Amino acid sequence: MQDPIKTLFTECIQTQIAAADMLQEPLESAANLLVGSLLQGRKIYCCGESLAHATSRHFAHIMLTGLSFERPPFPVTSLHADYGAKEHTRMFAQQIQAVGQANDVLMVFNACERAPRVSAAMEAALSREMLIIAITHNSDTDIAGLLGPEDVEIRIPTSNSARASEHLLQISNMLCTIIEHRIFPQETDS
């Protein structure tokens, strides 16, 4: 019997290999959409279902403060997760309805099977003519059906929520690095 810890590492590595093969094109599309939006003065809002909301907050933080080098902040906001809200499932949607503008971007993170709060935010974004980037996984049942032709889905090749959560964080770091290097190419020449 294989060591349980080694088994977990093996699962992580296998998911990494599958992701490296499958996610290059959607990562490129997401980076292009984010860079284009930022250069056009659009705003990016992000949220995540359940524990994935921590990744949303992390992404907003590194986009504001910088990841690879010191730079001006990008206009990225993680929506507030007010779990005491009267309409718990609409907490993100209400914020999008209040501040979202056409062609702004909503970036959603999900490592659960169901995503009612994120789905409601996506519906609100669609009503505001916003673009959507969804980072999901194979067991997600709510999000893919809400995406339009100009939206981007990055579907992590796993049904395991723990592996998906690990990749949400990795993908957010990768996107920030790509965006920084595209907007500030002089920083990568040194």
Side-chain angles (χ1 to χ4, degrees):
M1 180 171 148
Q2 190 176 21
D3 175 8
I5 293 173
K6 187 171 183 176
T7 299
L8 291 172
F9 274 110
T10 301
E11 286 177 12
C12 293
I13 292 166
Q14 289 171 341
T15 304
Q16 290 275 9
I17 291 168
D21 290 338
M22 297 175 65
L23 299 184
Q24 289 183 23
E25 186 177 316
L27 277 166
E28 181 73 25
S29 297
N32 290 340
L33 176 58
L34 291 167
V35 167
S37 296
L38 290 168
L39 292 176
Q40 294 172 10
R42 305 290 183 203
K43 292 184 175 41
I44 299 166
Y45 300 97
C46 49
C47 62
E49 194 68 41
S50 191
L51 294 176
H53 192 64
T55 303
S56 164
R57 292 175 49 132
H58 170 78
F59 181 73
H61 174 76
I62 61 177
M63 292 291 283
L64 284 168
T65 62
L67 183 64
S68 303
F69 48 83
E70 192 173 328
R71 58 156 172 83
F74 295 136
V76 179
T77 302
S78 179
L79 300 175
H80 181 66
D82 181 3
Y83 292 103
K86 289 181 183 177
E87 291 189 62
H88 180 65
T89 57
R90 298 210 28 86
M91 65 184 171
F92 297 138
Q94 290 171 330
Q95 294 168 72
I96 289 297
Q97 289 171 326
V99 297
Q101 299 294 316
N103 296 314
D104 282 346
V105 176
L106 173 64
M107 191 160 168
V108 299
F109 298 86
N110 183 37
C112 302
E113 187 173 308
R114 303 298 316 264
R117 288 166 287 282
V118 165
S119 296
M122 292 172 68
E123 290 169 355
L126 292 170
S127 74
R128 307 288 288 172
E129 298 180 6
M130 294 171 64
L131 301 168
I132 299 170
I133 296 172
I135 306 175
T136 65
H137 62 100
N138 288 341
S139 294
D140 177 89
T141 59
D142 288 348
I143 291 176
L146 295 172
L147 297 170
E150 294 182 30
D151 299 327
V152 177
E153 181 182 24
I154 301 171
R155 185 172 282 266
I156 300 164
T158 185
S159 295
N160 182 307
S161 291
R163 300 297 77 80
S165 292
E166 294 160 358
H167 278 73
L168 292 177
L169 184 60
Q170 179 185 17
I171 289 168
S172 70
N173 288 340
M174 292 170 75
L175 284 171
C176 184
T177 300
I178 294 166
I179 292 163
E180 287 179 335
H181 290 183
R182 288 195 184 162
I183 293 179
F184 299 102
Q186 67 280 7
E187 296 295 331
T188 60
D189 294 339
S190 36

